[in-house]
């Protein structure tokens, strides 16, 4: 490897890791501070509810529009724009004066994060085509760490420097992530490597006509539904069915969040080496259904074990991110696939917290919500059968239509 190529690879690795850190810090750093913020201005329940729904909704919209923007702007430059917007909006969140300005800044953050979510798999495919599993492991592990780190330090930090100071610190981290992307954008522009020579407007129309695309969308939808449904409702759910107190319920939520770390460490590398992804689907479904069954029939017997088991289905998140690269030939197909799958997946996931909440409101208990969760987990089985075929999106298209991609 030439020194110039080695420098580009090192720069790309640093840029990916810093951006991954920013993406989850931006999402996880707000909710622990809502009680602290309310000391300065009121936060109506409706606004808090909108903030809770904002991530999956913003991610779904971003997944829909990002591929079209990327074709015009270029890969590196659009990631740079997303990184800058995230840093600026994090800074604006520190300046919020009421619930509306806090919501507006938060919506801007999630929109930027959604764009970056779509593009990161394509960046990995472009700069690390022979190391997709390794780089996906590195950045999803970074995201997992950044998911449970802010809740641990946000409140003590806010008590020390104020909630505005806490947000300012996270904004500084996001600003640091901008620097390598400036260099990446300049290098790509100089090499004319971040612009697709002929915008392939037909890519998305072909991607959506391949069954594997919809199977991956279902996979992502189930993963995200479990994650966002339990992020929203796990504490009151385990307090209701297992009789734990609020402190223990918070610890169980932290445990559920922590489950993203070990799967991020091992799943991407295993997916690259495995001949089929069927075993990952089996583990996700069996683990998830066992956790749901435990909470339904013996919630107090082994509550911690049930939470660990129900935290297994989110292994499909790093698996899907790896497959965006492995199941495509070019980065523009990877962007189209990633955008569509995440748009559909997060759009469906936005309904899960609502479904669990409505069933609890109607029935007064958690049984119906747990049954809904179990049904959703089981629904990924047909998707697993399709994805396990192992074809790239382009190969599936060519086989089905008899024409070259």
């Amino acid at each position: 490897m030439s020194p110039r190529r080695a420098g580009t690879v090192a720069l790309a690795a640093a840029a990916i890791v810093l951006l991954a850190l920013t993406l989850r810090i931006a999402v996880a750093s707000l909710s622990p501070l809502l009680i602290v913020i309310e000391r300065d201005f009121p936060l109506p329940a409706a606004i808090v509810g909108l903030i809770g729904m904002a991530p999956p909704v913003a991610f779904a919209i971003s997944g829909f529009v990002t591929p079209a923007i990327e074709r015009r702007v270029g890969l590196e430059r659009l990631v740079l724009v997303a990184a800058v917007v995230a840093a600026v909006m994090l800074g604006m969140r520190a300046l919020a004066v009421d619930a509306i300005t806090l919501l507006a800044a938060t919506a801007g953050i999630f929109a930027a994060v959604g764009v970056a979510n779509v593009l990161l798999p394509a960046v990995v495919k472009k700069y690390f085509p022979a190391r997709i599993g390794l780089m996906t492991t590195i950045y999803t592990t970074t995201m997992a760490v950044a998911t449970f780190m802010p809740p641990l330090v946000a409140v003590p930090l806010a008590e020390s420097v104020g909630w505005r100071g806490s947000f300012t610190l996270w904004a500084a981290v996001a600003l640091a992530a901008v620097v390598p992307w400036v260099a990446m954008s300049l290098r790509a522009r100089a090499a004319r490597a971040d612009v697709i020579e002929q915008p392939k407007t037909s890519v998305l129309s072909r991607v959506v006509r391949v069954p594997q695309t919809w199977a991956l969308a279902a996979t992502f939808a189930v993963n995200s539904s479990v994650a966002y449904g339990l992020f929203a409702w796990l504490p009151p759910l385990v307090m209701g069915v297992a009789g734990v107190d609020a402190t223990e319920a918070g610890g169980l939520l932290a445990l559920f969040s922590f489950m993203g770390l070990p799967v991020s460490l091992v799943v991407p590398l295993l997916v690259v080496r495995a001949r089929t992804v069927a075993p990952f689907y089996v583990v996700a479904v069996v683990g998830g259904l066992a956790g749901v069954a435990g909470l339904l029939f013996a919630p107090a017997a082994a509550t911690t074990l049930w939470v660990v088991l129900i935290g297994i289905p989110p292994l499909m998140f790093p698996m899907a991110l790896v497959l965006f690269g492995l199941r495509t030939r070019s980065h523009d197909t990877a962007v189209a696939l990633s955008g569509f799958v995440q748009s559909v997946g997060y759009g469906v996931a936005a309904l899960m917290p609502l479904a669990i909440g409505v069933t609890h409101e109607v029935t007064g208990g958690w049984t119906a919500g747990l049954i809904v969760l179990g049904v959703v987990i089981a629904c990924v089985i047909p998707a697993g059968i399709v994805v396990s075929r192992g074809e790239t999106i382009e190969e599936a298209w060519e086989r089905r239509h008899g024409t070259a991609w």
Side-chain angles (χ1 to χ4, degrees):
M1 182 183 296
S2 67
R4 181 178 178 84
R5 171 63 179 166
T8 299
V9 169
L11 178 63
I16 289 169
V17 169
L18 284 173
L19 184 61
L21 185 65
T22 298
L23 298 185
R24 284 301 178 264
I25 283 177
V27 174
S29 60
L30 175 59
S31 58
L33 296 183
L34 291 176
I35 296 177
V36 180
I37 295 171
E38 280 191 304
R39 299 171 187 170
D40 288 351
F41 53 78
L43 291 174
I47 297 294
V48 175
L50 288 173
I51 289 174
M53 290 184 64
V57 172
F59 297 165
I61 295 172
S62 297
F64 180 75
V65 304
T66 297
I69 300 174
E70 188 270 344
R71 285 196 299 268
R72 295 178 177 273
V73 176
L75 182 61
E76 289 83 357
R77 281 183 285 181
L78 185 55
V79 177
L80 172 60
V81 171
V84 170
V85 172
V88 170
M89 290 295 103
L90 277 166
M92 293 300 295
R93 192 155 70 179
L95 301 175
V97 296
D98 54 28
I100 298 300
T101 53
L102 181 66
L103 175 62
T106 300
I109 291 167
F110 291 148
V113 169
V115 171
N117 280 341
V118 172
L119 296 179
L120 266 181
V123 173
V124 170
K125 182 175 182 63
K126 179 176 179 178
Y127 287 94
F128 302 91
R131 295 288 185 271
I132 291 175
L134 175 61
M135 280 309 301
T136 304
T137 293
I138 291 172
Y139 91 75
T140 55
T141 300
T142 301
M143 293 167 75
V145 171
T147 298
F148 67 80
M149 181 178 66
L152 295 178
V153 303
V155 174
L157 185 61
E159 295 294 344
S160 175
V161 299
W163 64 267
R164 298 184 189 276
S166 178
F167 285 151
T168 300
L169 176 62
W170 303 128
V173 174
L175 188 62
V178 171
V179 177
W181 283 105
V182 172
M184 290 279 289
S185 181
L186 290 175
R187 287 194 179 196
R189 183 177 183 182
R192 301 187 63 81
D194 68 334
V195 179
I196 301 173
E197 289 79 3
Q198 294 181 343
K200 300 178 181 179
T201 56
S202 65
V203 170
L204 181 59
S205 66
R206 294 188 178 192
V207 164
V208 299
R209 293 164 67 184
V210 175
Q212 189 176 151
T213 298
W214 290 95
L216 283 170
T219 300
F220 208 90
V222 171
N223 159 81
S224 302
S225 295
V226 173
Y228 283 99
L230 292 180
F231 281 146
W233 290 107
L234 183 61
L237 189 154
V238 292
M239 290 172 67
V241 301
V244 302
D245 59 27
T247 300
E248 188 174 352
L252 290 170
L253 178 59
L255 175 63
F256 175 77
S257 302
F258 178 79
M259 288 300 294
L261 180 58
V263 299
S264 295
L265 282 170
V266 300
V267 167
L269 293 175
L270 292 177
V271 169
V272 172
R273 296 176 181 178
R275 294 184 177 182
T276 175
V277 295
F280 300 96
Y281 281 95
V282 172
V283 170
V285 172
V286 172
L289 291 180
V292 170
L295 290 174
L296 278 171
F297 300 113
T303 310
T304 300
L305 175 61
W306 309 144
V307 171
V308 168
L309 290 172
I310 212 168
I312 291 177
L315 72 79
M316 293 183 287
F317 174 70
M319 181 186 73
L321 294 182
V322 175
L323 292 177
F324 293 155
L326 294 180
R327 299 295 171 83
T328 55
R329 293 175 185 165
S330 63
H331 100 262
D332 55 308
T333 307
V335 170
L337 178 65
S338 176
F340 179 78
V341 167
Q342 294 196 46
S343 179
V344 173
Y346 283 124
V348 173
L351 302 176
M352 181 54 72
L354 178 63
I356 295 176
V358 168
T359 56
H360 175 64
E361 186 71 23
V362 171
T363 66
W366 298 101
T367 298
L370 285 168
I371 291 174
V372 169
L373 193 63
V375 170
V376 168
I377 293 171
C379 283
V380 84
I381 295 174
I385 295 173
V386 174
V387 176
S388 296
R389 292 173 183 168
E391 293 178 305
T392 66
I393 296 298
E394 293 90 344
E395 288 170 346
W397 164 270
E398 291 166 353
R399 177 178 57 80
R400 288 174 61 85
H401 298 276
T403 57
W405 179 262

